[in-house]
Structure formats: C-alpha cells, structure tokens
C-alpha cells in the first residue's frame, strides 16, 4: 500500500485500545482474551481496515483480528474505528509482519482472509506471497482444526499461483470466481482496494480454500 508516513502515527495507534501491543503474550489464550468461545477470523494485510471493520460490524457472533505491518496504515484503520457510533468488542488489530504469525497464535484460528495481497511478481520473491508454501506451513500452526483461507485479488498471476499452491498443499477450492462482481454477492464486504478496482472496471478474483 502506498501511503506517506504519517508523523505521530506510531504514538497515536499505541494509545488505541484496539491495538494489541504485545500480541505474543496471548498466544494460545486468544479465546480468554475475547472472553468467549466464538471462532476467530483474521485478515493478513488488512490495510486501512474497511473489510475487517465491516465484517466485525456484520458478524458480532465472530471474533476478528486485523494484521498489518505499517503504523501509518493502521492509523487510518484506528481513525475509522474511532469515528464509529459504538466500539466493536469483537475486533482487535495487531501490528506485525505476518512472517511472525506463529509467535502469536497457536492452533486457535478458524479462518484467514487474504485481500489484495502484495503480488511479489518476481520468482525470487515467491516465498513472500501470502499463499506460498512457506506461508501455508506457517498457517498449519495457527489453524484450530479445519483450515479456511478466503482470498480476493485483482492480480490474475497471483490468483493462478494461489490456486496451484493451495491445491498442491492439499486444500480443496470452492466458489472460485474470476469475476466476482458478475455474480450475486449479497454478503460481500469490499476492501478499499476492491472499491477502487471495481470503479476502474477491473475484474476481481475470489476463492475459498478448505482443508
Ligand atoms: C495491497 S494492500 C491491500 C490492503 C487491503 N487488504 C485492501 O484490500 O484494500 C496490502 C497490505 O498488506 C500489508 N502487508 C503486506 N505484507 C504483509 C505482511 N507480511 N504482514 C503484514 N502486512 C502485510 C501491506 O502493508 C498493505 O497494507
């Protein structure tokens, strides 16, 4: 995500009750943290948070965690959350690089959302793609029992790579679409990238992967 550094963003978000400052201390204890047994869904690379905030509003019966690397991006999500009429008890944010995800969760996540992830087009950067074998191995350690990965992307190459990588890793794919907006999508919550791409007429790919 291209975003200028926002001065003071680090200090600002660290004061927000939505940001979990030492997430590794909750490893294996996220259910206690939320104070209920509702399934926990995470979004990796949540950007400015449109999707995860919308999902948390629509599904109070589920717990959500948005993961993002950059202070200035999280700042935008925190600002959005602060502008809401009410606080969302089922949503928290974590600032981290997803390569560290196994330090934070231990077999307690029910679903991972990957929305418009960075495509990393060069072959030498394949392992940085969030659907690479290296990431799928990490996800094995954080999923509770069954595994669910839902992906949306405008990038056809990343989508084809993901289909192959997920299938080779033993995931079954369902509801695969190369043009999401040509279909009925009553429950779809758009991300900020998605809103921009749809306005431009770019087709959106989507899949659900189960294991
Ligand atoms: C292209 S943006 C998409 C943002 C949002 N999901 C959307 O659809 O509008 C990708 C986001 O993922 C974040 N990101 C990329 N790699 C990441 C990683 N390894 N760990 C955490 N966040 C990451 C970037 O900082 C960026 O905000």
């Amino acid at each position: 995500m291209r975003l200028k550094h926002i001065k003071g963003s680090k200090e600002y978000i660290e004061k927000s009750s939505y940001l979990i400052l030492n997430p590794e201390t909750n490893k294996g204890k996220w259910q206690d943290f939320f104070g209920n047994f509702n399934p926990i869904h995470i979004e990796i690379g949540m950007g400015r948070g449109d999707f995860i905030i919308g999902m948390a509003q629509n599904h109070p019966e589920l717990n959500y965690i948005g993961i993002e690397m950059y202070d200035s991006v999280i700042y935008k999500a925190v600002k959005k959350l602060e502008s809401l009429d009410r606080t969302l008890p089922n949503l928290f944010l974590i600032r981290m690089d997803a390569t560290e995800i196994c330090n934070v969760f231990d077999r307690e996540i029910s679903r991972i959302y990957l929305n418009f992830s960075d495509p990393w087009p060069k072959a030498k950067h394949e392992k940085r793609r969030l659907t690479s074998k290296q990431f799928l191995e990490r996800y094995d350690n954080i999923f509770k029992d069954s595994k669910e990965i839902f992906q949306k992307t405008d990038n056809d190459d990343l989508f084809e790579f993901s289909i192959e990588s997920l299938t080779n890793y033993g995931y079954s794919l369902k509801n695969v679409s190369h043009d999401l907006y040509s279909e009925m999508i009553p429950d779809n919550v758009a991300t900020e990238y998605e809103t921009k791409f749809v306005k431009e007429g770019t087709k959106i790919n989507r899949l659900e992967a189960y294991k």
Side-chain angles (χ1 to χ4, degrees):
M1 166 163 306
R2 245 180 265 134
L3 184 78
K4 270 198 210 142
H5 172 68
I6 298 171
K7 205 168 166 225
S9 56
K10 179 174 185 294
E11 294 72 19
Y12 192 92
I13 64 170
E14 286 181 356
K15 287 198 194 114
S16 168
S17 54
Y18 282 107
L19 188 77
I20 303 166
L21 280 174
N22 298 302
E24 53 291 334
T25 58
N26 291 325
K27 183 176 175 176
K29 295 182 273 191
W30 284 100
Q31 218 97 63
D32 294 343
F33 176 83
F34 279 104
N36 59 50
F37 293 104
N38 297 340
I40 302 171
H41 293 184
I42 65 172
E43 183 186 13
I44 302 178
M46 66 152 187
R48 299 172 189 187
D50 282 9
F51 176 82
I52 198 95
I53 295 171
M55 293 298 282
Q57 287 174 316
N58 293 353
H59 295 281
E61 76 285 6
L62 297 170
N63 295 321
Y64 289 94
I65 298 175
I67 295 170
E68 170 57 51
M69 291 202 288
Y70 294 116
D71 293 332
S72 301
V73 183
I74 296 173
Y75 174 84
K76 296 280 183 183
V78 167
K79 281 288 193 185
K80 234 170 255 170
L81 282 162
E82 288 173 348
S83 74
L84 301 178
D85 296 342
R86 61 182 183 92
T87 51
L88 296 175
N90 61 333
L91 172 63
F92 289 92
L93 311 178
I94 296 178
R95 172 185 54 200
M96 71 169 174
D97 185 323
T99 53
E100 303 296 323
I101 206 157
C102 298
N103 298 332
V104 170
F105 302 111
D106 183 18
R107 299 185 194 284
E108 48 205 329
I109 299 305
S110 299
R111 183 180 295 169
I112 298 175
Y113 288 101
L114 304 174
N115 293 321
F116 301 86
S117 309
D118 296 336
W120 294 107
K122 290 185 183 160
K124 67 175 179 183
H125 292 145
E126 181 178 314
K127 66 172 190 261
R128 297 189 193 177
R129 298 175 198 153
L130 294 178
T131 47
S132 65
K133 183 167 178 282
Q134 289 80 355
F135 269 102
L136 298 183
E137 283 169 356
R138 291 184 180 108
Y139 303 155
D140 279 348
N141 296 310
I142 73 164
F143 275 125
K144 198 172 179 182
D145 26 50
S146 56
K147 305 174 173 65
E148 298 183 2
I149 300 175
F150 284 20
Q151 182 183 41
K152 290 194 272 191
T153 178
D154 61 303
N155 190 293
D156 295 337
D157 290 339
L158 177 66
F159 196 58
E160 291 315 317
F161 170 84
S162 299
I163 287 175
E164 197 178 322
S165 179
L166 287 160
T167 308
N168 288 345
Y169 205 74
Y171 279 87
S172 308
L173 303 186
K174 277 194 205 155
N175 298 322
V176 178
S177 171
H178 287 87
D179 186 4
L180 179 61
Y181 280 71
S182 68
E183 297 163 20
M184 289 290 289
I185 42 169
D187 300 327
N188 185 56
V189 173
T191 79
E192 55 273 19
Y193 268 62
E194 182 173 343
T195 303
K196 179 171 83 75
F197 286 129
V198 170
K199 267 191 200 140
E200 290 168 359
T202 305
K203 289 195 169 75
I204 306 299
N205 301 290
R206 180 181 182 276
L207 64 75
E208 298 174 5
Y210 298 90
K211 193 172 163 194

